[in-house]
Amino acid sequence: MRMLINVPETVVADALRGIAAAHPDLTVDVENRLVVRRDAPVAGKVGLVSGGGSGHEPLHAGFVGPGMLSAACPGEVFTSPVPDQMVRAAAAVDSGAGVLFVVKNYTGDVLNFDMAAELAEDEGVRVARVLVDDDVAVADSTFTAGRRGTGATLFVEKIAGALADEGAPLEQVEAVARRVNESSRSFGVALGAVTTPAKGSPTFDLPPGELELGIGIHGEPGRERRPMMTSGEIADVAVHAVLDDLRPTGPVLALVNGMGATPLLELYGFNAEVRRVLSERGVPVARTLVGNYVTSLDMAGCSVTLCQADEEMLRLWDAPVRTPALRWGR
């Protein structure tokens, strides 16, 4: 096993210590597995809390900061965080304006965030929940009832986070988060299998010269396996799958996301093919983000996420953000 780690048992704790050392504007609680804006709670501001299994970095801890999340709860690798983490996070960021939980549609995440919401409300924190379920590849999967939550999580956290920073009430922040999710669709492709630190070997068998279409971010099976395709051929499959489900009637936000082991040279080339397909389908692109944002450890591959964006979404997307992974504006 060739990994830049000490031992598998301390991978998450070691990473959290590294985040703390690199980003003094965050409060990192290694023992309780929390990453929080150092200025939280912000008076009058809705708190945004998300989380999930580690291994998808920068999701979610890399999106904590002004203009995005108030706190993130990292679980063990590919394992949901526990309700106690979420309750602590809610308490740490609640200013009295309430807290929005952003939850990817994976069974463990859903159950634990639901339980945490009940516990937090018992302690006097008003909580709303938004479920992200943007993946069009499969109706159900190994870890999910219904569509999986993938790349649209970034769109939800950025846009809802910007509105929360403007001081909007919880009901409005929840509503825009739901609207972003409902306007977003994703499709992922694996060119190579993922290796977890605990297992030390690929989690599924993908023979040389083949790829898996429609994978999730944990290496779950997709909709089909095919011989290796060109970048343009992959873009044809992925973008058409998204568009046939989303059917946008206006401009879109586009995320061309790497799964962790695909270099930017390839991702930018793939983005050119994505833009070609969108142009052929008459879909204008308002904004594009290319890079490794919602990853799966060392998986080679990519995903495409499109969000039909109205004027408010675009304004909130362009609003300033200052997190470890996303930074623009003032």
Side-chain angles (χ1 to χ4, degrees):
M1 180 171 64
R2 296 182 180 180
M3 291 184 174
L4 196 62
I5 65 173
N6 293 314
V7 294
E9 293 78 13
T10 66
V11 165
V12 176
D14 291 345
L16 288 173
R17 284 194 291 270
I19 290 172
H23 301 287
D25 50 339
L26 301 177
T27 298
V28 180
D29 184 337
V30 177
E31 181 179 356
N32 293 306
R33 304 293 170 89
L34 293 179
V35 179
V36 184
R37 282 178 57 160
R38 186 168 289 279
D39 60 354
V42 178
K45 176 190 174 306
V46 169
L48 253 70
V49 174
S50 193
S54 295
H56 307 304
E57 289 74 23
L59 189 81
H60 292 275
F63 298 146
V64 176
M68 215 160 173
L69 291 177
S70 305
C73 309
E76 291 299 323
V77 172
F78 291 0
T79 303
S80 172
V82 297
D84 284 352
Q85 290 174 260
M86 302 158 189
V87 173
R88 287 192 180 96
V93 304
D94 181 39
S95 68
V99 173
L100 178 67
F101 284 168
V102 178
V103 188
K104 299 188 306 302
N105 189 31
Y106 290 93
T107 301
D109 289 6
V110 173
L111 292 175
N112 287 350
F113 270 103
D114 283 351
M115 185 180 299
E118 294 177 5
L119 294 171
E121 287 168 350
D122 288 344
E123 296 181 4
V125 179
R126 192 159 54 104
V127 177
R129 285 157 285 178
V130 169
L131 189 68
V132 181
D133 57 354
D134 54 304
D135 180 31
V136 303
V138 292
D140 298 287
S141 73
T142 311
F143 304 103
T144 307
R147 290 181 167 180
R148 299 173 290 210
T150 58
T153 312
L154 184 154
F155 289 155
V156 171
E157 292 175 356
K158 171 62 182 81
I159 290 171
L163 188 60
D165 267 21
E166 292 180 354
L170 180 59
E171 294 76 14
Q172 288 185 22
V173 177
E174 177 187 6
V176 80
R178 291 188 186 280
R179 197 163 84 245
V180 172
N181 177 64
E182 291 163 0
S183 302
S184 301
R185 302 289 188 275
S186 296
F187 190 93
V189 179
L191 309 181
V194 57
T195 299
T196 62
K199 190 171 187 292
S201 60
T203 57
F204 63 95
D205 177 41
L206 188 57
E210 294 187 2
L211 55 76
E212 185 88 13
L213 296 172
I215 49 86
I217 55 176
H218 306 95
E220 309 97 303
R223 59 167 59 172
E224 65 177 302
R225 188 166 290 185
R226 292 189 188 178
M228 187 60 197
M229 303 156 65
T230 66
S231 176
E233 291 167 339
I234 295 170
D236 285 331
V237 172
V239 178
H240 286 306
V242 170
L243 292 179
D244 290 348
D245 195 288
L246 182 61
R247 300 190 180 279
T249 58
V252 297
L253 294 170
L255 169 63
V256 172
N257 172 67
M259 289 295 180
T262 301
L264 278 171
L265 180 70
E266 295 177 30
L267 291 177
Y268 276 115
F270 183 63
N271 180 58
E273 297 297 339
V274 168
R275 185 63 69 93
R276 171 187 59 78
V277 180
L278 291 171
S279 178
E280 290 171 354
R281 291 283 293 263
V283 179
V285 179
R287 307 286 188 275
T288 303
L289 187 63
V290 178
N292 289 287
Y293 293 102
V294 184
T295 64
S296 184
L297 289 172
D298 64 343
M299 182 188 287
C302 60
S303 63
V304 176
T305 304
L306 301 178
C307 173
Q308 180 168 302
D310 57 33
E311 289 185 7
E312 182 184 32
M313 291 182 197
L314 288 177
R315 179 182 68 79
L316 294 170
W317 177 259
D318 290 339
V321 60
R322 192 169 75 252
T323 71
L326 286 187
R327 288 177 179 255
W328 58 69
R330 66 173 183 273

